[in-house]
Amino acid sequence: MSGGDVSGVAAAVPGCVHTDLLAAGLIDDPYTDDNEKKLAWIGRTDWEYATTFRHVRGADRVDLVCDGLDTVATVILNGVELGRTANMHRGYRFDVRDAVRDGDNELRVRFQSAYTYAEAQRDRLGDRPNAYPEPFNFIRKTACNFGWDWGPTLVTAGIWQPIGLHTWATARLAEVRPQLTVDDGTGTAEVRVRLERDAPGPVTVAVSIAGRRVETTTEGDEAVVTVTVGDPELWWPLGYGDPRRYALDVTLTDAAGRRLDVWTRRVGFRTVRVDTTPDAEGSAFTVIVNDVPVFVRGVNWIPDDVFANRVTRDRLAARFRQAVDANVNYLRVWGGGRYESEDFYDLADSLGLMVGQDFLFACAAYPEEEPFASELAAEARENVVRLSSHPSLVMWTGNNENIWGHEDWDWKQDLDGRTWGAGFYFDLLPRIVAEADPSRFYWPGSPWSGREDRHPNDPAYGTTHIWDVWNTDDYLKYREYRPRFVAEFGYQAPPAYATLRRALSDDPLAHDSPGMQAHQKAADGDAKLRRGLDAHLPAPRDFDDWHYLTQLNQARALSLGIEHFRALRPHCMGAIMWQLNDCWPVTSWAAVDGDGRKKPLWYALRHSYAPRLLTVQPRDGVPVLVAVNDSGQPWTLSGTVSRRTLAGVVEAQVPIGVTVAPGSATTLPLPAEVATAGDPAGEFLIAEAGDDRAWWFFAEDRDIAWPPPTFNATVTEAADETHVTVTAHHLLRDVTLHPDRLHPAAEADRSGVTLLPGESVTFRVRGAQNLDAAALTARPVLRCVNDLH
């Protein structure tokens, strides 16, 4: 349908226009085929939400509380305009005592098109450069609503957070800012409270935590209550201890002891700092929790759905479980998305996942004039205060790639002296964090090298993004970097086959079919995928080959980068791959696709992010063995490293044995008889120590004469699982099972398994039963590199 013929549609709140129209059957799914383009009119249309309600008036104060309006709204109660808003990222509160009626009331919220507003601001202030031809930098709204190189252009409008009346008397808790610190074994909870009053007089603020209660009485608008806790149990990040939390209760009472307001959270005692000490090779960037340096095994997080109301707590919990199961310990909330929800942070707190939150600026020059300066100050303070109680939050970052863009992306001439956001990143935001959340680390940008007279993306200092890999260079170039902390790096692949078949009606599917092209948003994305295949793998013969190989290449690229960065420990102390999740079905850098299915990359992350990692790395052109131990206990390993032919014949073998200290990496040189191949295209290395293995191939797969894919495969049913056992007759490279090709709910427990001759692996398939046994054990469901020769 086209715009202009929609009226009287039932609206869900929280929600947005797109999901309401979809629920009413008035539009097709924006995520399928090329419907995104057909629905562009929605973002350029004005909308109105209207409702009626009954209210019984009393003597108390009555506020209309709007937690989130998306975005340019006029709020009208009983014909009285209460106010106008232009910021999706903050809440608004209106005193409606004079507007609300005793009995029936009518509330209307009129939304102007985000385009109309943003384009008018752009015309008024002068254009600013950005990464995409959309005006997202001229409105305080989720930037990726306007499209990204992985996201659709679906510009939303609506009441995206709860809205309702709040009746109160005398005073309320307008702001609660707890700061929890630990010093010499004593925990301190300093709770700063700001009050809004409707009547004068003394009120009492009481704070309770860990069985201790302290109160203070004030006649002013602010209070500070400090509670000390002896020897508190600490909140630890995943893998270092329990993420212990305590209930913190703040109660406001009047002089007669009547409860006026209450605020409660689960909080944690811990210390977090980031070491940026200069050294001989630049300067460190090391996250230190409770005085323990932590290697960040991270993922970038984007909004999990374009339509925020569809991101439920259960959905977040499922995605977080996928992160934890992949041995991730850190989520970076990217600056083109949202300040994440209470559910998001509460789940992170409970699991011990560390979080870095970007302020919401991404890939563009942003004007600093009004109304943006005032809106940004209000937005930043509200969200800093809201999130400051969460122990999982370890740092604030001023923006995503804007300082780098100003330096390297030819912005300066286009700006011609106009503001671009520097005043926010270097002045306003650090002042707000220092005042409202002083125990949190602030970093002006990602990437950022620590000084304005230094290139912002210098890998020797601070945080760096690596995007020449993917954009212009092969992924082997990761090994040329010696970064201190990599905050973004990634490689593309299509989503799971079942996700493609649900979202696309292309028949047949092809990498260049219309639906596939509509769901490939990266500039020259297919050409870059092909360049990566050509460098490493045999040429695909059809779509099934292309799908398997591009997913395999993505997994290999990220494993290579991550294992290289981890092997540099302690010089490098963080790797945050781009990205964990998708917001819709798309060819992208994600490990988990838009339907929540794990790509082969996810399984590679689980291996490469394991707390204890055995990896073969080149040093001066010669392979060495590196053992990385992120755990808190020594790791004693013993085993062998052997050089073998493709037939499995051992040409040379040496024993290995070492104890790796907690939080360290140990490099083991290999003797020449193992490290040097007699026939690079016909030999490989394998390091084995207990259940740990590491492989090294001296040639690229495209140049190796792989033996034919001969194997035995059996299928058995076991309770609620299907077991597929593959026994190799010859060396089989990267055996992968794609059971979602047979049933969309089917998922295997592993992927990309390389087998020596005579070895077996059992894939455990969950989510569906009674699958076709013949199909489970044949192409295109069961794949390995060998079957391309």
Side-chain angles (χ1 to χ4, degrees):
M1 65 178 293
S2 61
D5 54 353
V6 177
S7 63
V9 177
V13 175
C16 73
V17 170
H18 287 79
T19 51
D20 291 333
L21 295 176
L22 185 61
L26 296 174
I27 61 171
D28 293 326
D29 186 345
Y31 290 179
T32 61
D33 294 322
D34 64 349
N35 291 335
E36 166 211 354
K37 294 180 181 178
K38 297 175 183 177
L39 300 176
W41 62 270
I42 296 174
R44 292 195 172 273
T45 302
D46 296 343
W47 300 92
E48 180 178 276
Y49 283 62
T51 191
T52 58
F53 63 92
R54 291 187 62 80
H55 177 72
V56 179
R57 291 191 57 162
D60 294 339
R61 168 77 173 264
V62 183
D63 292 347
L64 177 68
V65 182
C66 310
D67 287 344
L69 300 175
D70 177 15
T71 294
V72 184
T74 302
V75 183
I76 303 165
L77 179 60
N78 297 325
V80 177
E81 182 178 313
L82 302 178
R84 301 188 179 193
T85 76
N87 192 334
M88 178 182 178
H89 303 308
R90 56 169 291 206
Y92 295 85
R93 178 182 284 261
F94 304 102
D95 181 350
V96 298
R97 282 175 296 188
D98 296 334
V100 72
R101 297 171 182 162
D102 193 3
D104 292 334
N105 292 264
E106 181 186 56
L107 176 65
R108 293 181 177 273
V109 184
R110 294 173 180 163
F111 290 97
Q112 182 186 46
S113 162
Y115 277 110
T116 301
Y117 176 89
E119 289 167 354
Q121 294 292 343
R122 182 182 62 192
D123 293 344
R124 180 177 69 88
L125 296 171
D127 201 3
R128 306 291 199 281
N130 69 24
Y132 304 99
E134 297 277 342
F136 63 83
N137 48 335
F138 288 92
I139 186 170
R140 295 310 298 157
K141 174 175 172 57
T142 298
C144 61
N145 273 185
F146 291 86
W148 224 258
D149 55 4
W150 40 258
T153 303
L154 293 168
V155 178
T156 56
I159 303 172
W160 79 285
Q161 295 277 40
I163 186 171
L165 294 181
H166 178 208
T167 300
W168 55 281
T170 307
R172 70 176 187 89
L173 297 168
E175 191 175 278
V176 179
R177 294 185 286 124
Q179 292 286 300
L180 274 70
T181 56
V182 184
D183 187 23
D184 290 333
T186 298
T188 300
E190 181 185 84
V191 182
R192 294 183 175 271
V193 172
R194 183 175 62 82
L195 306 176
E196 183 179 8
R197 287 180 171 272
D198 195 49
V203 293
T204 298
V205 178
V207 175
S208 300
I209 186 172
R212 302 287 309 280
R213 185 178 188 276
V214 177
E215 64 180 44
T216 187
T217 299
T218 181
E219 296 193 41
D221 297 334
E222 295 188 354
V224 180
V225 181
T226 301
V227 185
T228 59
V229 177
D231 196 24
E233 295 184 65
L234 300 181
W235 183 93
W236 285 96
L238 190 66
Y240 289 82
D242 293 331
R244 180 70 167 89
R245 293 190 291 168
Y246 293 84
L248 174 67
D249 297 312
V250 181
T251 304
L252 180 67
T253 55
D254 65 12
R258 289 186 293 264
R259 178 176 290 187
L260 302 175
D261 205 353
V262 65
W263 182 98
T264 185
R265 292 287 189 280
R266 291 179 61 79
V267 298
F269 289 99
R270 88 288 184 272
T271 62
V272 174
R273 57 190 174 91
V274 178
D275 179 13
T276 59
T277 304
D279 57 30
E281 294 190 76
S283 63
F285 196 89
T286 303
V287 176
I288 300 174
V289 183
N290 301 328
D291 296 325
V292 176
V294 176
F295 190 98
V296 166
R297 305 190 303 268
V299 289
N300 280 272
W301 174 271
I302 66 169
D304 205 52
D305 200 292
V306 173
F307 309 123
N309 55 297
R310 302 207 294 207
V311 185
T312 63
R313 184 180 178 92
D314 286 347
R315 179 163 165 174
L316 287 171
R319 205 68 69 245
F320 281 25
R321 176 49 53 191
Q322 290 171 323
V324 169
D325 289 347
N327 294 308
V328 166
N329 64 13
Y330 190 102
L331 306 173
R332 175 193 170 218
V333 182
W334 169 75
R338 309 182 186 116
Y339 300 103
E340 274 297 345
S341 66
E342 288 301 312
D343 283 337
F344 179 101
Y345 275 94
D346 184 60
L347 286 166
D349 292 344
S350 69
L351 293 168
L353 283 167
M354 297 176 288
V355 180
Q357 173 74 59
D358 282 11
F359 286 99
L360 300 186
F361 303 93
C363 302
Y366 283 77
E368 299 172 40
E369 291 81 1
E370 294 294 348
F372 298 108
S374 296
E375 281 295 336
L376 190 276
E379 162 197 321
R381 182 178 179 88
E382 178 179 312
N383 284 283
V384 169
V385 169
R386 178 174 68 86
L387 299 177
S388 64
S389 62
H390 291 283
S392 58
L393 179 60
V394 300
M395 76 173 73
W396 290 99
T397 300
N399 71 86
N400 175 77
E401 297 190 345
N402 295 350
I403 305 172
W404 182 22
H406 183 261
E407 184 65 27
D408 272 4
W409 300 350
D410 299 322
W411 288 5
K412 295 176 184 178
Q413 183 174 348
D414 291 343
L415 285 168
D416 192 24
R418 292 192 295 275
T419 60
W420 58 278
F424 295 152
Y425 317 137
F426 296 114
D427 181 22
L428 177 63
L429 293 175
R431 282 194 286 110
I432 289 172
V433 172
E435 191 276 326
D437 193 15
S439 69
R440 250 4 158 286
F441 180 79
Y442 173 82
W443 197 241
S446 186
W448 173 241
S449 59
R451 285 189 354 202
E452 292 186 64
D453 61 350
R454 183 185 293 139
H455 191 280
N457 199 31
D458 187 333
Y461 301 86
T463 59
T464 192
H465 292 190
I466 299 176
W467 283 115
D468 51 1
V469 174
W470 170 250
N471 280 322
T472 56
D473 297 318
D474 184 66
Y475 60 74
L476 296 180
K477 190 176 180 180
Y478 283 134
R479 291 177 175 150
E480 298 179 21
Y481 283 90
R482 281 182 55 82
R484 310 311 296 261
F485 190 104
V486 190
E488 278 190 23
F489 63 106
Y491 210 86
Q492 263 204 353
Y497 185 83
T499 299
L500 291 174
R501 280 285 54 148
R502 182 196 65 78
L504 305 180
S505 59
D506 296 358
D507 189 18
L509 276 175
H511 77 274
D512 57 354
S513 59
M516 288 294 295
Q517 288 300 294
H519 291 246
Q520 166 60 280
K521 295 292 186 175
D524 300 321
D526 284 352
K528 293 170 184 176
L529 287 171
R530 184 57 190 258
R531 186 192 71 226
L533 295 184
D534 289 347
H536 298 281
L537 290 159
R541 299 160 297 188
D542 55 22
F543 178 80
D544 291 332
D545 283 357
W546 179 88
H547 187 260
Y548 165 64
L549 292 175
T550 51
Q551 288 195 330
L552 173 62
N553 218 34
Q554 179 191 39
R556 288 188 181 179
L558 269 294
S559 282
L560 184 144
I562 289 168
E563 294 185 20
H564 167 66
F565 301 142
R566 292 188 68 190
L568 296 176
R569 178 177 183 148
H571 177 86
C572 176
M573 284 299 290
I576 309 178
M577 60 79 63
W578 185 274
Q579 67 219 64
L580 175 66
N581 59 324
D582 266 327
C583 63
W584 76 315
V586 65
T587 297
S588 84
W589 297 262
V592 177
D593 73 21
D595 281 8
R597 294 187 176 91
K598 301 168 184 173
K599 293 156 73 169
L601 170 57
W602 182 91
Y603 299 89
L605 290 182
R606 183 175 62 180
H607 170 78
S608 296
Y609 271 158
R612 291 174 170 176
L613 172 70
L614 200 62
T615 179
V616 179
Q617 296 291 320
R619 296 290 184 263
D620 299 322
V622 178
V624 301
L625 188 65
V626 183
V628 183
N629 182 13
D630 282 353
S631 76
Q633 300 298 322
W635 179 25
T636 299
L637 58 96
S638 63
T640 61
V641 178
S642 57
R643 177 169 57 87
R644 307 186 183 202
T645 68
L646 296 181
V649 176
V650 176
E651 297 290 326
Q653 181 169 290
V654 295
I656 54 170
V658 68
T659 297
V660 187
S664 69
T666 297
T667 298
L668 301 175
L670 299 176
E673 65 266 26
V674 172
T676 304
D679 175 14
E683 297 176 0
F684 63 94
L685 294 184
I686 180 171
E688 300 176 281
D691 293 332
D692 295 288
R693 270 185 171 179
W695 302 82
W696 177 266
F697 289 85
F698 294 96
E700 298 293 346
D701 291 64
R702 66 180 185 183
D703 301 322
I704 295 174
W706 291 106
T710 53
F711 55 85
N712 291 335
T714 61
V715 178
T716 57
E717 298 293 331
D720 59 347
E721 297 180 344
T722 299
H723 292 180
V724 180
T725 300
V726 178
T727 302
H729 296 176
H730 302 289
L731 178 72
L732 296 182
R733 180 73 163 133
D734 282 309
V735 182
T736 300
L737 191 68
H738 298 281
D740 64 289
R741 282 178 168 263
L742 303 180
H743 191 287
E747 177 183 282
D749 68 331
R750 62 192 65 204
S751 179
V753 181
T754 295
L755 295 174
L756 295 171
E759 287 188 332
S760 298
V761 63
T762 296
F763 295 90
R764 301 160 68 99
V765 180
R766 297 185 177 93
Q769 293 181 286
N770 301 315
L771 301 173
D772 185 325
L776 267 176
T777 56
R779 181 183 185 275
V781 178
L782 182 64
R783 299 302 309 263
C784 61
V785 172
N786 306 58
D787 66 29
L788 281 100
H789 286 267

